[in-house]
Amino acid sequence: MQRSNVTAVLAAAALLVVTGCSSDDGADLPGGARAASSPAASSPGSSAAAPSPSPSAPPAKGSATVLSTAAEGLNSPWGLAELPDGGLLVSSRDEGTITRVDPRTGKKTVVGSVPGVAAAGEGGLLGIALSPSYGSDHLVYAYFTTESDNRIARMIYDEKKPAGQRLGAPDTVLRGIPKGTIHNGGRIAFGPDGMLYAGTGEAGNKELAQDEKSLGGKILRMTPDGQPVHGNPWADSVVYSLGHRDVQGLAWDSRKQLWASEFGQDKWDELNLIEPGGNYGWPEAEGRSDKPGFVNPVEEWRPKDASPSGLAFAEGSLWMAALRGERLWRIPLAGRESAAEPQAFFTEKYGRLRTVLPAGGAKVWLVTSNTDGRGTPKPGDDRILQLEIS
């Protein structure tokens, strides 16, 4: 594929093209996780020398235990952010609201609605993140679907105001991410470099993933103001990597390496180590490929066992929430590779799992997703659980 410098052309809403499996749940094929023999075939625009191997790796087998239930009765929860005081903010995809949860008491307080959210299918109010300078600016960032696109906006959060009125007017940071009934991406997170990253989907129009001028099917990297970062792979562009189908998980390990979880179509879901400028193959490759120029996944799963969404790093391992797979995957890391076979926890116990977030030390938050129209809600759903892990 010929590369050229591009400006950040904001793509119009993509036409919905349903091919193969069109949902975030994959197709029903036999098998489970499969490890890639190497993380990359060739990686155009990748960073310089690969880091030296990790001096130690976590144990091949770990553990995950539920310590407490922080909240129950949530409707279509999607994004999660932890406040400095230990409170949690959780977004509702379908209601377009953000709720504050007191994890000690389980009390839920709706802090406000995000104007302009148009929830439909897999779109709505998705990922949220706190500003790196939250202590001084009190900004909450949100990724959401509107009538015309997916976009990222930031709002001042003022706890002193009455419930329901604590979110300020949204300031749009980035607009023009393609939207669709399916494959809207939606995860946002600030990296160790203080920059804002976003995982997007190709909105059902798979050709967008290979289009450098489109924001669909990409991982994006931008300043907190939504501007391209000096040193991004393409000049004047927020595009950081391409060839993605639907990225919904972003996490950095202890070596500041970026990892992403991604929905496959009907063969392989993926865990990828993200290289700047890397092409991850979709739609020309799903899972491992011998085609030149594509970065191979580090791990892959049959969609029935994964359909991954949120991703977090804690205790030397990546923790990946699975929707259709209804389990939490632990992937121990050794440098740029997995150190052992992925290990599953809570299989079919809590239903669909949407988001996982570090909670400090050997703890993580886990959000279920059974009220999203595809799950089977049980009494108490949806909920936020606190886990102790190793």
Side-chain angles (χ1 to χ4, degrees):
M1 181 178 61
Q2 184 177 2
R3 300 194 178 280
S4 60
N5 289 340
V6 296
T7 57
V9 178
L10 301 179
L15 294 176
L16 178 62
V17 179
V18 179
T19 58
C21 166
S22 62
S23 74
D24 66 3
D25 289 323
D28 192 4
L29 295 177
R34 185 178 78 175
S37 59
S38 67
S42 64
S43 180
S46 63
S47 52
S52 58
S54 176
S56 62
K61 297 294 183 180
S63 64
T65 305
V66 174
L67 293 178
S68 64
T69 299
E72 294 184 336
L74 297 167
N75 181 33
S76 61
W78 212 101
L80 188 69
E82 186 169 5
L83 295 163
D85 65 2
L88 300 172
L89 294 180
V90 57
S91 62
S92 169
R93 184 195 69 183
D94 295 343
E95 295 178 345
T97 57
I98 295 178
T99 297
R100 186 188 191 280
V101 170
D102 184 336
R104 295 164 296 182
T105 65
K107 181 181 178 181
K108 304 188 297 287
T109 304
V110 176
V111 302
S113 299
V114 178
V117 172
E122 295 173 10
L125 179 56
L126 304 176
I128 57 176
L130 301 186
S131 162
S133 306
Y134 180 83
S136 57
D137 61 30
H138 300 286
L139 288 173
V140 176
Y141 285 69
Y143 182 117
F144 58 97
T145 311
T146 73
E147 292 290 353
S148 60
D149 64 0
N150 284 298
R151 63 183 60 179
I152 301 171
R154 57 190 177 188
M155 300 152 285
I156 294 177
Y157 173 49
D158 187 350
E159 286 195 344
K160 296 179 182 179
K161 290 188 175 181
Q165 303 176 31
R166 296 176 183 175
L167 293 178
D171 170 28
T172 300
V173 169
L174 183 71
R175 67 180 74 231
I177 302 168
K179 63 161 284 188
T181 304
I182 57 174
H183 306 171
N184 289 286
R187 196 68 61 183
I188 56 174
F190 282 93
D193 56 1
M195 298 297 107
L196 178 61
Y197 293 73
T200 75
E202 29 82 314
N205 183 355
K206 60 186 180 180
E207 303 306 323
L208 295 181
Q210 291 293 327
D211 182 355
E212 295 171 9
K213 296 181 180 181
S214 172
L215 300 181
K218 308 294 190 298
I219 292 177
L220 311 177
R221 176 177 181 248
M222 67 201 82
T223 69
D225 295 326
Q227 299 301 308
V229 181
H230 178 71
N232 271 6
W234 293 277
D236 301 320
S237 174
V238 296
V239 172
Y240 192 66
S241 63
L242 73 162
H244 299 288
R245 185 171 182 264
D246 191 15
V247 176
Q248 288 193 11
L250 300 171
W252 287 265
D253 63 22
S254 58
R255 297 152 62 90
K256 300 182 180 180
Q257 298 178 131
L258 174 59
W259 299 80
S261 54
E262 179 174 345
F263 289 105
Q265 179 170 273
D266 53 13
K267 294 180 180 178
W268 297 107
D269 294 328
E270 300 178 0
L271 174 69
N272 287 302
L273 176 60
I274 302 303
E275 303 282 356
N279 188 330
Y280 289 80
W282 180 254
E284 297 178 41
E286 180 182 355
R288 293 190 63 210
S289 169
D290 293 329
K291 296 181 179 180
F294 295 150
V295 183
N296 275 331
V298 173
E299 289 286 350
E300 50 190 12
W301 293 260
R302 294 295 189 183
K304 74 180 185 66
D305 297 314
S307 297
S309 189
L311 189 68
F313 177 80
E315 296 297 291
S317 297
L318 289 167
W319 300 83
M320 189 180 80
L323 290 165
R324 187 175 168 210
E326 296 189 1
R327 66 201 73 181
L328 178 67
W329 285 102
R330 173 186 182 265
I331 306 101
L333 296 182
R336 297 169 58 85
E337 300 178 353
S338 52
E341 289 293 320
Q343 182 182 7
F345 295 95
F346 310 124
T347 300
E348 299 182 348
K349 184 173 184 179
Y350 296 105
R352 294 160 59 83
L353 304 180
R354 173 67 68 179
T355 294
V356 57
L357 183 75
K363 295 182 176 65
V364 297
W365 300 108
L366 181 64
V367 182
T368 67
S369 188
N370 297 309
T371 58
D372 65 349
R374 290 184 177 152
T376 303
K378 299 178 181 178
D381 279 335
D382 269 309
R383 62 196 78 206
I384 302 173
L385 306 172
Q386 187 180 64
L387 311 182
E388 185 172 50
I389 51 93
S390 66

